[in-house]
Amino acid sequence: MERRQRILVVDDEPQITRVLRVGLNGRGFDVRTAADGESALDTFSDWSPDLVVTDLSMPGDVDGIELCRRLRKRSQVPIIVLSVRDDERTKVAALDEGADDYVTKPFSMDELLARVRAALRRGPAPAVEPHGVLEAGVFRVDFEARAVSVRGEAVRLTPKEFELLAYLIRHAGKVLTHRTLLTAVWGGNYGEQVEYLRVFVGHIRKKIEPEPGTPRYLLTEPWTGYRFEPGE
Amino acid sequence: MNENKSVTGDTGAQNGHRPRHVAGSIALALVSVSGVAMVLSPLHDRISTTTAALSLMLVVIVVAAQRGLAPALAASLAGMLAFNFFFLPPVRTFTIADPENWVALVAFLVTSAIVGQLFSLAKRRAEEAVDRQREIQGLYADLQEAFDRAARAEAERQAERMRNALLDAVTHELRTPLTGIKVSVTALLGDYADSRGDEANLSGEDRREMLSVIDEEADRLNRYIGNLVDLARIEAGRLPIKRSWNAPGEIAADSVERVRVRRSGRAIHLATAADTPTIFADGRALAEALFLLLDNAVKYSPSNAAIHLSVYAAAGGAVEFAVEDEGPGIAPELRERVFERFFRVENSGPESVVGTGMGLPIARGIVEGHGGTLRIEDRPGASGTRIVLRVPVGDDDPAESSMRDSASLESA
């Protein structure tokens, strides 16, 4: 029998860890919990979970953002951040430090489970430089020819549009902040040029979306960034 | 004068005013000089020319000091002519017999011109000084206003920061239990939907766990809202206090019982001195305040450490309730701040401590409503915190009872 997938839940609120333990257990996951960042790092070392779900505001030296930072130094494990804050900056900071996705409290079990499944499906991000051909959903990226096709139909892209779309497809399902995208495609000096990004996203949508006004693949995460869903 | 008028008409009152003012001053100077000369001239053979010259000089000085340079010069010239005409022999002619008197005349003119100039200069300086002072005062007022504005802006920024911090705290405290409830309910709903397809994945034990979380978190929300309401009442000065005669030992026992219900397993040692008098107070409210103090002591001290509550008569017609714990204690610089609403000492308790920053402010509100005080001390000879709740023994206040009487009369 296949090993049950392991999820480490980190939250200083005992009631939250209680319900998440029971809820995720019931869905066939193996769950351990930690009440602060330091013990989460210990459990991570001993137990090697497949996914980490962590709160952002926690007592001690290692809060949620710091936990993301330290986990990323040693692992590509998917991280989902839980936050009660409406504060976009905290969320964006966590994503910039390596979190893959976020869920705002209060959330439903279904929503969390959907995010958990998506993160586990995606698995650890490929660390190597892309080469050859990548197929994701209805998209096919040929990195050698620098060409993208949707449902077998070639898309005409400028070089920058190709880089942006290829980056989005490579990190499909993950929330990518404005800063991450700008830095990846344009370089560190463009980290604040969100308007730039909007223009390019608009162009790409016109080329790949059946209805650019209501995008299906290149989705906006309000105030935060973008997420790519490659379709079936 | 016509010219002056046209200037006035063209360039406004201030410019036009000055020449007329000067002309008037010159006229006044001439009148003054001739007046003094007229008065003194009948006496010319009895006073010396020096006296006459000094008297005329005096007029020049006064004119210079009062009216400025041009009138002073006019006065000098007029003075010289008057001196010559009335006092230098032969008098009542402009001829001068003795050459020595030419010297006197020229000396008079030069001296009076110089003196006039000096005085008018002094006058101008004085005027300038007044202007400068006015200017500086104006600048100072502007500066003051700028400072006031900056201070107001800073105060507003601070109030804004405070409001945001409060809002964050309230948001956190309301959303956390809501999250527990929402997750549990949606998990149970999902399980219910699955169970109809024979795919139930939560055991009976799991379901019970989720339901108990829902129950506890609903209570927590309710308590939190109750605390918010209490705090709002205290801040509005409308905490209802229903006084009656109470035994302090009973109040203390009630608060200890409340802690036992909420947090089983913690030893609280209650000691009531035999000579403790009864107090005229709101027993339930004081028990709540004591409960909040004990609850804090439980939360912020090691789970195996004892907590002491002692009740005794204090000097000055008061009763004190002292709560002592063996926790880390509260740093002296934080002993006032812990009474601020939503203030929490960072990293002060064990991992699972869930504080709202409302307990101590509410406790203080209740105690102050009784005219009492709450103070934090070091534990004598040991580590930990000692919080002393002090209330006056109180009295069936005649003013209050008469108010009650009139109230009952009204209702009757």
Side-chain angles (χ1 to χ4, degrees):
Chain A
M1 193 183 139
E2 199 184 335
R3 187 190 77 143
R4 295 212 299 170
Q5 286 182 298
R6 295 173 168 180
I7 300 179
L8 171 60
V9 175
V10 192
D11 199 316
D12 59 324
E13 295 284 344
Q15 304 290 61
I16 305 282
T17 49
R18 266 172 79 191
V19 293
L20 290 185
R21 176 199 287 278
V22 173
L24 292 169
N25 254 330
R27 292 291 169 166
F29 296 103
D30 206 353
V31 180
R32 288 202 190 171
T33 62
D36 60 68
E38 270 115 351
S39 55
L41 286 166
D42 291 344
T43 308
F44 185 82
S45 306
D46 299 344
W47 193 55
S48 317
D50 301 299
L51 173 75
V52 176
V53 175
T54 179
D55 188 27
L56 278 181
S57 59
M58 286 186 294
D61 293 335
V62 183
D63 63 4
I65 293 174
E66 183 60 27
L67 181 61
C68 292
R69 197 177 291 141
R70 296 206 189 171
L71 284 175
R72 274 293 162 268
K73 277 190 187 149
R74 50 166 118 161
S75 162
Q76 288 297 319
V77 66
I79 304 172
I80 297 175
V81 166
L82 306 178
S83 168
V84 289
R85 305 198 194 174
D86 301 313
D87 182 359
E88 301 303 327
R89 271 180 309 179
T90 320
K91 213 149 57 186
V92 171
L95 292 165
D96 277 339
E97 290 299 341
D100 295 77
D101 204 349
Y102 63 87
V103 185
T104 306
K105 291 178 181 177
F107 52 87
S108 72
M109 200 65 210
D110 298 337
E111 186 183 357
L112 180 68
L113 283 169
R115 303 290 176 113
V116 165
R117 280 194 296 264
L120 287 171
R121 208 168 40 232
R122 199 158 56 239
V128 291
E129 274 302 296
H131 55 83
V133 172
L134 173 66
E135 303 228 18
V138 299
F139 289 83
R140 184 172 186 280
V141 186
D142 185 337
F143 287 100
E144 312 303 324
R146 297 176 67 80
V148 175
S149 61
V150 188
R151 298 181 202 282
E153 221 172 286
V155 183
R156 287 170 55 91
L157 297 166
T158 67
K160 277 292 171 206
E161 284 169 5
F162 171 80
E163 279 184 47
L164 180 56
L165 183 56
Y167 190 88
L168 284 161
I169 294 173
R170 272 169 58 210
H171 299 89
K174 185 173 150 83
V175 177
L176 299 167
T177 64
H178 298 130
R179 171 182 288 278
T180 302
L181 290 169
L182 284 161
T183 309
V185 178
W186 281 273
N189 294 337
Y190 290 85
E192 307 298 326
Q193 310 287 325
V194 180
E195 282 308 314
Y196 232 73
L197 192 55
R198 279 203 190 106
V199 170
F200 275 80
V201 165
H203 288 171
I204 292 174
R205 277 181 179 153
K206 275 187 197 138
K207 296 178 181 181
I208 64 165
E209 296 281 357
E211 291 172 66
T214 50
R216 186 193 299 174
Y217 307 118
L218 208 177
L219 308 176
T220 299
E221 291 286 325
W223 316 115
T224 308
Y226 298 94
R227 178 208 300 269
F228 196 82
E229 290 296 344
E232 292 311 308
Chain B
M1 285 309 271
N2 275 344
E3 226 179 289
N4 282 347
K5 265 189 185 161
S6 75
V7 169
T8 308
D10 285 342
T11 58
Q14 206 183 355
N15 283 346
H17 183 74
R18 219 173 154 79
R20 225 187 310 169
H21 176 76
V22 171
S25 294
I26 290 173
L28 189 72
L30 298 181
V31 170
S32 310
V33 170
S34 35
V36 169
M38 298 288 199
V39 169
L40 291 180
S41 74
L43 310 169
H44 71 91
D45 42 0
R46 270 186 277 163
I47 58 173
S48 72
T49 51
T50 313
T51 308
L54 284 177
S55 305
L56 288 167
M57 193 87 74
L58 199 64
V59 177
V60 174
I61 289 170
V62 170
V63 168
Q66 295 285 320
R67 300 286 161 148
L69 183 58
L73 290 179
S76 304
L77 208 61
M80 178 202 73
L81 293 174
F83 184 50
N84 179 1
F85 191 77
F86 291 109
F87 303 102
L88 287 183
V91 293
R92 304 211 176 259
T93 66
F94 285 110
T95 52
I96 293 166
D98 190 344
E100 196 184 326
N101 285 337
W102 273 108
V103 178
L105 191 65
V106 171
F108 176 88
L109 181 64
V110 170
T111 312
S112 63
I114 289 172
V115 166
Q117 200 171 10
L118 284 177
F119 270 85
S120 70
L121 199 66
K123 172 176 182 276
R124 207 163 65 223
R125 288 276 147 78
E127 282 169 354
E128 279 169 7
V130 169
D131 282 351
R132 261 204 303 279
Q133 192 187 353
R134 233 176 257 142
E135 205 175 304
I136 287 168
Q137 272 169 350
L139 274 176
Y140 181 76
D142 288 351
L143 213 59
Q144 183 102 40
E145 200 183 325
F147 272 125
D148 287 353
R149 262 203 307 273
R152 269 199 304 277
E154 178 56 27
E156 273 165 28
R157 266 197 299 280
Q158 265 187 359
E160 178 69 23
R161 268 200 297 278
M162 186 74 186
R163 267 198 299 278
N164 286 339
L166 295 191
L167 212 55
D168 277 356
V170 173
T171 306
H172 184 267
E173 293 305 322
L174 292 178
R175 285 225 172 112
T176 299
L178 267 181
T179 305
I181 292 170
K182 176 94 181 166
V183 168
S184 302
V185 168
T186 52
L188 290 167
L189 279 174
D191 192 54
Y192 175 73
D194 289 346
S195 71
R196 299 172 70 175
D198 288 333
E199 248 188 87
N201 45 44
L202 292 179
S203 67
E205 182 56 31
D206 289 346
R207 279 196 287 271
R208 208 193 64 80
E209 172 80 347
M210 294 207 145
L211 288 170
S212 61
V213 166
I214 294 170
D215 184 39
E216 288 163 24
E217 295 299 78
D219 285 348
R220 180 168 154 197
L221 269 179
N222 191 39
R223 270 198 309 278
Y224 189 75
I225 290 165
N227 283 349
L228 278 177
V229 170
D230 281 351
L231 208 55
R233 280 203 181 122
I234 286 167
E235 287 191 1
R238 281 208 299 266
L239 189 73
I241 294 193
K242 300 184 201 90
R243 285 184 168 86
S244 60
W245 288 104
N246 282 282
E250 279 173 29
I251 293 173
D254 179 24
S255 68
V256 169
E257 184 54 30
R258 288 196 209 189
V259 179
R260 282 214 184 96
V261 171
R262 287 271 307 282
R263 298 175 183 276
S264 53
R266 285 305 289 272
I268 299 176
H269 302 290
L270 170 60
T272 306
D275 62 345
T276 312
T278 55
I279 54 177
F280 190 64
D282 187 332
R284 292 168 67 93
L286 282 184
E288 171 69 15
L290 270 179
F291 163 76
L292 292 168
L293 301 183
L294 289 169
D295 193 44
N296 250 27
V298 168
K299 277 193 287 193
Y300 295 100
S301 64
S303 56
N304 53 355
I307 291 161
H308 300 269
L309 171 55
S310 38
V311 187
Y312 50 90
V319 167
E320 291 189 349
F321 302 77
V323 175
E324 292 184 26
D325 68 49
E326 295 168 10
I330 299 173
E333 65 271 17
L334 295 176
R335 286 182 187 173
E336 206 30 57
R337 292 209 63 198
V338 293
F339 292 110
E340 288 173 17
R341 57 194 174 156
F342 305 117
F343 178 81
R344 294 186 60 200
V345 180
E346 293 255 356
N347 303 333
S348 51
E351 290 162 1
S352 57
V353 166
V354 181
T356 61
M358 290 198 287
L360 288 179
I362 291 174
R364 174 175 267 193
I366 292 170
V367 175
E368 287 179 350
H370 283 84
T373 57
L374 259 190
R375 63 177 193 271
I376 298 177
E377 301 175 343
D378 290 321
R379 279 182 72 211
S383 74
T385 307
R386 175 183 160 95
I387 301 190
V388 181
L389 188 164
R390 178 191 169 93
V391 279
V393 168
D395 198 352
D396 234 317
D397 184 31
E400 209 164 279
S401 45
S402 74
M403 265 173 64
R404 265 205 308 275
D405 290 348
S406 63
S408 60
L409 273 177
E410 269 169 35
S411 62

